């Protein structure tokens, strides 16, 4: 059994990691959530990957969440007749909305997003291939965007295009995304990630599409547009989303690489006010696509995200197509473990204590967290139908692991992304008056799994009568051994 880790690891599946054998190794190494990247692959391929993940998780006796990541309105150039062209500084080059997507040459190339011509004006700066190539717009004639190359290099087929400072009008959800949402919901994913939302309304629309498919999957907002980090837009996104992802790739292209670190820290400060978990993503262990160990800078990047209170850190190409997917997960795991040892855990909540609880179960969760600092608590065991109580707990810092005791497979999948929370499936046949029996059963299970000893103190939260979602109204501190000899 690996060491208990509070910060969750999300790993992207791809050719390097999708085999049942590698999935088994990754889950043993500590992957909590897998990401299905819908920018690549067919519906059948994603369905097979999800089935293999569930089989590997079951074989290892753990819960592993599944996140479906929508492609979004990624604006790309077309293809070149020769596969690529070399651009030099000062060169004139045309992005042509009328040109066939397969006929690019050394002078011009087609566009997948024809409306780009209406989103740029002379003086606008365009960044291609994740900012490695830079062009300034000189003029727009019909469907042609005439540019001067500022930073040159090789431009090959289907490379992405961003506008510095944002301002592109492309909707967050494309027709492809809408079809992919149907596939993701049919697969039964735990989370659906939406690319390039501009404000909360984009997330609300995405939620309506997910619910229309009969799915209760959580919605992840990928913060990667300049507009999304404006204070009013970020607030609306945090309120409308279940999780936010700091997607530093496209975000860095739009706002500039030097602006990303303070924005990341701002999001990590603001999210707890809305009870919103955070994933930090992109290039966290990028060098491990080619090398078996990370750079010191990458280790520091992961560690700083942990110190700032992120719920999860994510691997992308490192596990999808890299040479060392298992080593990347292992490196991320040991970085989290060592960082969490050094982490100063304040007695106050991560969520601003001046924000009053919004419900009884949030009030109970807060009291449980405060009690875990005042007493030598070995674990927190929370009966939860919806996962809300453990979500509220996970917004606070504690040294005690939080066990989410739930009869719902849907809830068990959802809480895999919450910091410090471990899903534990339990029976759903407890009656309204079975609180004492449930307490004894859980303590027996935790003793059997060697999670606690008979002398340990455990905080328990539950709803009485039992079985109602959102009904948590009770907190008690029990000594494990006394549960079997006394009325609790």
């Amino acid at each position: 059994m690996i060491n208990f880790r509070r910060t969750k690891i999300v790993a992207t599946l791809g050719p390097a990691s999708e085999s049942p054998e590698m999935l088994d190794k990754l889950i043993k190494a500590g992957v909590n959530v897998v990401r299905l990247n819908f920018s690549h692959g067919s519906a059948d391929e994603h369905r097979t990957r999800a089935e293999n993940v569930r089989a590997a998780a079951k074989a290892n006796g753990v819960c592993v969440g599944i996140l479906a990541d929508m492609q979004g309105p990624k604006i790309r150039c077309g293809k070149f007749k020769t596969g690529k062209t070399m651009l030099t500084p000062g060169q004139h080059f045309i992005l042509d909305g009328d040109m066939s997507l397969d006929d690019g040459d050394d002078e011009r190339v087609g566009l997948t997003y024809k409306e780009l011509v209406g989103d740029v004006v002379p003086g606008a700066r365009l960044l291609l291939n994740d900012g490695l190539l830079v062009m300034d717009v000189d003029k727009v004639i019909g469907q042609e965007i005439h540019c001067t190359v500022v930073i040159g290099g090789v431009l090959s087929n289907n490379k992405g295009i961003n506008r510095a400072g944002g301002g592109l009008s492309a909707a967050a959800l494309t027709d492809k995304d809408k079809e992919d949402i149907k596939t993701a919901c049919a697969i039964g994913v735990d989370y659906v990630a939406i690319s390039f939302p501009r404000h909360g309304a984009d997330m609300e629309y995405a939620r309506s599409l997910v619910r229309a498919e009969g799915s209760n999957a959580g919605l992840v907002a990928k913060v990667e547009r300049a507009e999304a980090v404006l204070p009013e837009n970020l607030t609306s996104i945090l309120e409308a989303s279940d999780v936010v992802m700091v997607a530093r790739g496209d975000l860095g292209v739009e706002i500039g690489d030097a602006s990303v670190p303070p924005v990341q820290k701002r999001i990590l400060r603001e999210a707890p006010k809305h009870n919103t978990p955070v994933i930090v993503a992109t290039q966290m262990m990028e060098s491990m696509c080619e090398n078996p160990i990370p750079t010191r800078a990458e280790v520091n990047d992961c560690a700083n995200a942990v110190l700032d209170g992120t719920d999860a850190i994510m691997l992308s190409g490192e596990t999808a197509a890299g040479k060392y997917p298992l080593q990347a997960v292992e490196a991320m795991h040991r970085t989290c473990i060592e960082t969490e040892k050094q982490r100063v855990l304040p007695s106050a909540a991560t969520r601003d204590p001046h924000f009053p609880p919004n419900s009884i179960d949030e009030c109970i969760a807060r009291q449980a967290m405060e009690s875990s600092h005042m007493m030598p608590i070995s674990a927190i065991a929370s009966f939860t139908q919806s996962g809300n109580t453990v979500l509220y707990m996970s917004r606070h810092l504690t040294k005690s692991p939080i066990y989410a005791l739930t009869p719902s497979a849907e809830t068990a999948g959802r809480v895999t992304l919450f910091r410090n929370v471990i899903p534990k499936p339990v029976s759903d046949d407890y009656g309204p008056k079975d609180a004492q029996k449930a307490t004894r059963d859980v303590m027996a299970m935790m003793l059997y799994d060697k999670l606690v000893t008979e002398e340990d103190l455990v905080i328990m939260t539950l709803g009485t009568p039992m079985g109602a979602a959102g009904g948590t109204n009770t907190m008690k501190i029990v000594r494990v051994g006394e549960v079997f000899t006394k009325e609790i």
Side-chain angles (χ1 to χ4, degrees):
M1 184 70 175
I2 62 171
N3 293 331
F4 171 63
R5 171 175 31 80
R6 293 169 176 80
T7 309
K8 302 304 180 76
I9 293 176
V10 183
T12 303
L13 294 194
S17 53
E18 63 187 0
S19 71
E21 295 78 16
M22 181 56 72
L23 278 172
D24 181 71
K25 292 177 182 178
L26 295 179
I27 289 172
K28 282 184 168 68
V31 168
N32 305 105
V33 179
V34 298
R35 170 179 173 247
L36 306 180
N37 185 357
F38 275 69
S39 294
H40 308 283
S42 67
D44 286 341
E45 288 172 329
H46 292 307
R47 188 174 293 107
T48 298
R49 285 170 177 165
E51 290 171 354
N52 289 341
V53 168
R54 293 189 177 109
K58 184 177 180 180
N60 283 280
V62 296
C63 295
V64 176
I66 299 177
L67 183 155
D69 195 338
M70 301 296 104
Q71 177 176 301
K74 186 76 173 181
I75 299 169
R76 299 181 184 275
C77 69
K79 296 180 180 179
F80 294 88
K81 294 175 183 177
T82 58
K84 60 184 177 181
T85 187
M86 173 61 74
L87 301 177
T88 57
Q91 176 185 342
H92 181 69
F93 193 78
I94 298 173
L95 301 173
D96 192 341
D98 279 339
M99 188 177 193
S100 167
L101 290 177
D102 297 315
D103 291 337
D105 55 33
D106 293 337
E107 296 181 353
R108 64 180 65 210
V109 70
L111 290 168
T112 61
Y113 179 63
K114 310 300 184 184
E115 293 80 3
L116 183 63
V117 295
D119 288 343
V120 297
V121 295
R125 174 155 288 187
L126 299 177
L127 304 108
L128 292 77
N129 193 16
D130 291 334
L132 295 178
L133 304 171
V134 179
M135 299 179 185
D136 284 342
V137 176
D138 298 322
K139 56 187 176 182
V140 179
I141 302 175
Q143 292 296 307
E144 297 179 350
I145 303 172
H146 292 250
C147 304
T148 297
V149 177
V150 178
I151 298 177
V154 175
L155 178 62
S156 55
N157 296 340
N158 301 320
K159 294 304 180 185
I161 303 173
N162 296 78
R163 175 179 171 174
L168 298 179
S169 61
L173 286 162
T174 65
D175 290 341
K176 178 185 185 308
D177 294 331
K178 294 172 185 177
E179 289 302 313
D180 286 343
I181 283 175
K182 293 179 181 179
T183 299
C185 293
I187 289 173
V189 302
D190 301 294
Y191 287 97
V192 175
I194 305 302
S195 298
F196 301 101
R198 292 163 294 188
H199 39 61
D202 287 335
M203 297 306 300
E204 291 166 359
Y205 177 53
R207 189 180 298 277
S208 72
L209 296 178
V210 170
R211 297 296 178 261
E213 296 301 315
S215 171
N216 287 317
L219 272 292
V220 181
K222 295 172 66 179
V223 178
E224 50 193 341
R225 272 185 164 164
E227 297 92 330
V229 299
L230 295 173
E232 63 275 16
N233 289 343
L234 180 59
T235 296
S236 72
I237 287 172
L238 289 169
E239 291 176 348
S241 307
D242 299 296
V243 179
V244 294
M245 180 190 296
V246 188
R248 303 181 301 182
D250 283 289
L251 180 62
V253 174
E254 290 216 357
I255 68 174
D257 52 6
S259 297
V260 171
V263 166
Q264 175 177 313
K265 289 181 179 291
R266 176 158 62 91
I267 292 172
L268 286 163
R269 287 196 305 269
E270 292 296 314
K273 299 176 184 177
H274 304 272
N275 284 320
T276 307
V278 180
I279 305 169
V280 175
T282 315
Q283 295 180 335
M284 301 215 76
M285 296 267 177
E286 181 78 3
S287 71
M288 294 194 73
C289 289
E290 298 292 334
N291 302 306
I293 60 171
T295 67
R296 302 299 181 265
E298 289 166 341
V299 171
N300 272 276
D301 182 31
C302 291
N304 275 307
V306 173
L307 290 168
D308 286 340
T310 191
D311 288 79
I313 48 182
M314 192 173 97
L315 293 163
S316 299
E318 300 96 331
T319 51
K323 295 179 180 178
Y324 303 98
L326 178 60
Q327 290 88 336
V329 173
E330 291 172 340
M332 200 168 253
H333 170 73
R334 65 176 177 263
T335 299
C336 292
I337 290 291
E338 289 303 314
T339 304
E340 289 167 356
K341 287 180 184 177
Q342 305 302 320
R343 188 170 179 178
V344 177
L345 297 175
S347 59
T350 306
R351 186 167 190 256
D352 191 330
H354 295 100
F355 281 80
N358 293 318
S359 60
I360 293 173
D361 49 349
E362 185 174 356
C363 183
I364 294 292
R366 184 174 294 185
Q367 294 306 311
M369 292 299 98
E370 291 183 359
S371 297
S372 74
H373 293 297
M374 295 185 287
M375 297 283 288
I377 301 298
S378 297
I380 299 163
S382 176
F383 284 93
T384 180
Q385 292 283 335
S386 64
N388 285 340
T389 303
V390 292
L391 169 63
Y392 300 143
M393 289 180 181
S394 70
R395 300 307 89 204
H396 302 248
L397 296 175
T398 176
K399 293 181 179 179
S400 306
I402 303 164
Y403 294 95
L405 312 171
T406 181
S408 167
E410 181 180 280
T411 298
R414 180 77 70 89
V415 305
T416 54
L417 200 50
F418 299 169
R419 180 184 60 216
N420 210 39
V421 175
I422 303 166
K424 280 283 184 182
V426 296
S427 172
D428 62 354
D429 59 1
Y430 292 114
K433 298 181 180 180
D434 282 348
Q436 184 155 324
K437 181 179 186 302
T439 298
R440 287 173 174 165
D441 288 350
V442 166
M443 290 300 103
M445 175 189 70
M446 295 179 75
L447 279 170
Y448 180 82
D449 290 342
K450 298 182 179 180
L451 303 176
V452 293
T453 69
E454 290 192 355
E455 296 303 312
D456 285 341
L457 292 177
V458 174
I459 291 176
M460 295 201 67
T461 66
L462 66 160
T464 54
M466 295 189 70
T472 299
N473 57 13
T474 303
M475 184 199 90
K476 54 187 178 182
I477 301 175
V478 300
R479 192 173 298 280
V480 175
E482 294 178 357
V483 168
F484 307 101
T485 60
K486 296 182 179 180
E487 292 293 319
I488 300 297

